[in-house]
Amino acid sequence: GNSTVTTALTTGAGSTLRVRGSGVGGSPVATFTNAITNTATIDLTTQEAGYGVTLVAPLVSNTATGVINSLAGSGGTRTLTARLDNAGVVNLPYDLTMNAASAAHVNSGSILLTTGDLSITQSGTTPSFTNTGTIAANTRTVTVAGGLLDLQTGLVSGFTGRLVTTGTPAVRLLTTTVQPRVTFSAGTILPDPF
């Protein structure tokens, strides 16, 4: 079921924070009213019957030793409703949706799409996603809706992957920092010359 934690949380070495859907708890929403600092592991998964799981927090700071896994389990959806500041690793063997409003996401670590896709829905006041690390799209798809997508530094790798925009995002990129095929929506704004 749903749960709310009202204190700041820092995960300890070797620990796992697991948000898991199941026939007993349904599709849980784990809400943290303060920031999460992850130095260990966060798993988003399901145990049975395709339940979805959602992790809500104002900020998830994934440190250099932190790992966030979106795991297949038994299907369903995986949702992160938090501003993500990733200096560690985000593993996507299963699809992950990020949908926090007015969030300024930063990836200085690695986001690894193995058999899952990444969907970033940006809304609210000045939402953005800035990559200074690596996003390994491999054969998967990164979809960004709205806000600012800044890919001027770092690397989006995977020549057989796809980067897709929907809605009216502003996209900043260099052809040397983005390898996947790119599909821009009709409303995409490219404020900088290539």
Side-chain angles (χ1 to χ4, degrees):
N2 297 339
S3 60
T4 300
V5 176
T6 59
T7 59
L9 174 70
T10 298
T11 59
S15 67
T16 299
L17 170 62
R18 184 170 292 121
V19 183
R20 180 180 64 206
S22 70
V24 174
S27 295
V29 176
T31 301
F32 292 79
T33 60
N34 291 287
I36 298 172
T37 300
N38 182 42
T39 65
T41 302
I42 295 174
D43 286 342
L44 305 176
T45 189
T46 56
Q47 183 173 318
E48 57 197 22
Y51 293 97
V53 298
T54 302
L55 175 60
V56 178
L59 168 67
V60 173
S61 178
N62 198 41
T63 68
T65 59
V67 176
I68 299 172
N69 297 308
S70 178
L71 303 171
S74 299
T77 58
R78 309 290 174 272
T79 305
L80 178 63
T81 304
R83 179 169 69 90
L84 176 64
D85 185 351
N86 178 47
V89 177
V90 177
N91 288 315
L92 301 181
Y94 193 75
D95 298 350
L96 176 66
T97 297
M98 295 172 50
N99 65 359
S102 304
H105 304 291
V106 176
N107 176 51
S108 60
S110 297
I111 299 176
L112 309 174
L113 288 71
T114 52
T115 52
D117 296 328
L118 176 61
S119 176
I120 304 167
T121 302
Q122 301 190 106
S123 63
T125 306
T126 61
S128 63
F129 185 97
T130 301
N131 181 54
T132 61
T134 299
I135 301 172
N138 298 309
T139 60
R140 306 306 300 181
T141 301
V142 177
T143 303
V144 179
L148 171 65
L149 176 61
D150 188 345
L151 304 173
Q152 294 181 99
T153 59
L155 177 65
V156 182
S157 66
F159 289 103
T160 57
R162 292 189 63 212
L163 172 64
V164 176
T165 64
T166 62
T168 56
V171 179
R172 290 195 156 112
L173 62 94
L174 301 173
T175 56
T176 56
T177 62
V178 178
Q179 295 176 348
R181 293 171 290 161
V182 178
T183 304
F184 292 127
S185 67
T188 297
I189 300 164
L190 300 171
D192 305 310
F194 281 65

